[in-house]
Amino acid sequence: DAGVTQSPTHLIKTRGQQVTLRCSPKSGHDTVSWYQQALGQGPQFIFQYYEEEERQRGNFPDRFSGHQFPNYSSELNVNALLLGDSALYLCASSFTGTRNTEAFFGQGTRLTVV
Amino acid sequence: AQKITQTQPGMFVQEKEAVTLDCTYDTSDQSYGLFWYKQPSSGEMIFLIYQGSYDEQNATEGRYSLNFQKARKSANLVISASQLGDSAMYFCAMSEDQGGKLIFGQGTELSVKP
């Protein structure tokens, strides 16, 4: 059983560009959360998707948007990239109604903005 | 506002010895959950142990135990009989709703010496 799969693993983009990161949840999971982890910091919650709707959002600008597909996979889009967007982006999946103890994280996408 | 504080950027421990990683939290909610995660260099967050705010007993999972002192708002992780494979970043996190966003601390880098 594959766990949470994120793609790509690494990405280099130029300031001002747009980027799309992808996440496939663990089999049986229907909820996807995204986190941004800057170097040397703890992860920060971006948003959570359930039933193709954004259910909860952290303190991130509108440049950060997402989508969830009927198969529960999810995309994170970041527009007008800034140097400060360079980070490890983590996706976590879970089954709705369960505790975060049941959440599984992917290995992340490392985004570098130059 | 919810906040997690980890004051130890780095810790060293001798193999087979026990180590305590500190975590304090701040919340105005009565119901919350506290989590510890391990993050190896590969990037994924691995769930270790959970403590609910109403749990009267300290949580234990194998070599991991959580020293929960509610009045002091602390939730320290104790790793017994350290192994070389325990070398990693450790994050304390909190969630105020089941399955909702996790608030992470800054992390502690643990190095186990042979």
Side-chain angles (χ1 to χ4, degrees):
Chain A
D1 175 27
V4 179
T5 305
Q6 291 188 243
S7 64
T9 53
H10 295 82
L11 201 52
I12 300 175
K13 287 287 191 178
T14 303
R15 190 172 46 182
Q17 285 188 314
Q18 179 263 345
V19 70
T20 298
L21 311 182
R22 295 176 176 82
C23 173
S24 292
K26 181 178 169 60
S27 178
H29 285 182
D30 58 6
T31 301
V32 173
S33 301
W34 287 92
Y35 291 84
Q36 180 196 65
Q37 185 177 15
L39 195 63
Q41 305 290 319
Q44 288 197 316
F45 176 79
I46 303 175
F47 42 54
Q48 184 181 80
Y49 274 83
Y50 169 67
E51 288 190 339
E52 303 179 50
E53 300 261 338
E54 182 182 289
R55 182 158 70 175
Q56 207 174 9
R57 188 178 182 94
N59 189 24
F60 277 80
D62 292 344
R63 298 187 297 109
F64 289 78
S65 63
H67 189 75
Q68 186 179 35
F69 299 93
N71 67 352
Y72 307 120
S73 67
S74 177
E75 287 182 349
L76 164 65
N77 301 293
V78 187
N79 293 324
L81 284 166
L82 303 174
L83 297 179
D85 294 331
S86 295
L88 178 68
Y89 288 84
L90 294 165
C91 168
S93 75
S94 59
F95 182 72
T96 191
T98 61
R99 281 183 185 151
N100 282 308
T101 53
E102 310 295 331
F104 287 79
F105 282 80
Q107 292 196 330
T109 293
R110 187 163 298 282
L111 172 66
T112 302
V113 182
V114 297
Chain B
Q2 312 144 46
K3 187 177 180 182
I4 294 283
T5 302
Q6 295 180 252
T7 57
Q8 305 155 313
M11 289 281 287
F12 289 91
V13 64
Q14 207 68 35
E15 193 179 7
K16 298 181 185 176
E17 291 187 349
V19 62
T20 298
L21 306 184
D22 294 342
C23 172
T24 58
Y25 61 92
D26 191 20
T27 179
S28 55
D29 276 16
Q30 298 301 311
S31 177
Y32 51 88
L34 296 158
F35 304 75
W36 277 92
Y37 287 87
K38 173 184 179 181
Q39 186 179 42
S41 56
S42 53
E44 79 274 26
M45 287 285 187
I46 301 168
F47 165 72
L48 296 177
I49 195 166
Y50 167 84
Q51 180 86 40
S53 58
Y54 293 116
D55 294 341
E56 294 185 354
Q57 303 257 7
N58 285 343
T60 301
E61 291 283 352
R63 295 187 298 112
Y64 305 107
S65 60
L66 199 152
N67 184 0
F68 181 47
Q69 298 187 45
K70 196 170 183 177
R72 292 187 176 187
K73 292 190 174 179
S74 76
N76 298 339
L77 176 70
V78 181
I79 305 175
S80 63
S82 296
Q83 301 172 356
L84 295 178
D86 293 336
S87 294
M89 286 293 295
Y90 288 81
F91 290 93
C92 180
M94 176 172 66
S95 179
E96 292 188 339
D97 53 72
Q98 186 163 284
K101 71 177 181 181
L102 287 161
I103 308 293
F104 286 87
Q106 300 263 57
T108 295
E109 183 173 12
L110 178 66
S111 298
V112 181
K113 294 183 170 182

